[in-house]
Amino acid sequence: PIFGSKKGRDSDIMYQRDGKEGLECWVLPVNGRSVGDLFSNNGVRIFSRNVRGYMGTNSNVNRGIANTLANSPHMFMHFNNGVTILCDDANTCDLKKGTGINIQHPQIINGQQTTRSLAASDNSAKATVLVKIIKLARNLDKDKHYFHNVIGNIVKATNSQTPVTPSDLGSNDSRQLAVDKALRTEDFIYL
């Protein structure tokens, strides 16, 4: 697959190379239909290295994603953490409409719920998704376990975020912030 950025918008693609680990990474906004097509065109094998299974259309997460796609696809990138793709090879290429990234042997290691929801939505082309592409070339000169260890570490790191509780979300409520501000003027800390 090739993911692209609009003409004159090359700055939309962020790039970083880590020579020590042999990793290259691109981060860019991608049209939701392109991400959904990864699943539509490849089936479940696109998630072979993903440690989580599909939670189904009735999960709270997937209902929320579907709701955003149905009612506010223009807000999708703001409400969604995006997708992480691991690949064997990637390079930038010129497209008629801008710059693209051509990736070989992609594996979605984080973002299965997002990808499947985009594939199922008629509004996915109206959504933008933040995509992180990590190239880890299979280097035969390194220890034979190196490739799989690095993949394991990346999968673990991208799939072990701390869950957010309803009380965590409530701490940003405007009333809670007003109480906190008022108490700080009296040298109290509100937790």
Side-chain angles (χ1 to χ4, degrees):
I2 297 176
F3 293 134
S5 179
K6 293 181 181 174
K7 193 100 175 139
R9 308 257 334 247
D10 293 347
S11 61
D12 285 350
I13 300 176
M14 294 174 41
Y15 172 78
Q16 181 175 341
R17 178 176 169 70
D18 180 339
K20 180 180 178 187
E21 296 295 331
L23 299 172
E24 291 181 73
C25 182
W26 295 262
V27 179
L28 66 155
V30 175
N31 181 274
R33 175 53 51 204
S34 296
V35 174
D37 284 348
L38 284 173
F39 175 64
S40 299
N41 296 335
N42 296 286
V44 295
R45 70 176 183 242
I46 195 74
F47 306 117
S48 294
R49 294 203 177 265
N50 194 310
V51 296
R52 293 190 182 148
Y54 181 55
M55 297 188 313
T57 56
N58 289 326
S59 72
N60 288 336
V61 169
N62 289 332
R63 280 196 308 268
I65 294 171
N67 183 50
T68 300
L69 287 168
N71 300 308
S72 306
H74 62 283
M75 294 296 290
F76 194 80
M77 191 165 81
H78 305 287
F79 294 167
N80 186 279
N81 286 330
V83 173
T84 301
I85 299 172
L86 191 66
C87 65
D88 292 345
D89 196 14
N91 51 59
T92 57
C93 57
D94 289 328
L95 303 172
K96 288 181 181 180
K97 296 181 181 180
T99 301
I101 298 179
N102 185 8
I103 56 178
Q104 302 296 314
H105 306 112
Q107 280 292 302
I108 295 175
I109 60 170
N110 186 276
Q112 181 169 180
Q113 313 313 314
T114 298
T115 303
R116 285 178 178 247
S117 295
L118 287 163
S121 174
D122 292 334
N123 279 344
S124 62
K126 298 176 185 176
T128 300
V129 184
L130 190 62
V131 173
K132 178 171 37 172
I133 300 167
I134 302 171
K135 173 187 169 183
L136 175 60
R138 295 177 188 251
N139 188 341
L140 300 177
D141 295 335
K142 292 193 179 237
D143 174 12
K144 65 180 183 175
H145 299 289
Y146 173 80
F147 182 78
H148 296 289
N149 287 338
V150 172
I151 289 173
N153 289 335
I154 293 170
V155 169
K156 180 180 176 184
T158 59
N159 285 285
S160 57
Q161 292 82 16
T162 305
V164 177
T165 65
S167 61
D168 293 331
L169 294 173
S171 66
N172 272 336
D173 178 81
S174 60
R175 291 171 293 195
Q176 301 300 321
L177 295 173
V179 170
D180 179 47
K181 185 176 179 180
L183 288 173
R184 284 182 190 268
T185 63
E186 301 295 325
D187 291 328
F188 287 98
I189 296 175
Y190 180 57
L191 300 175

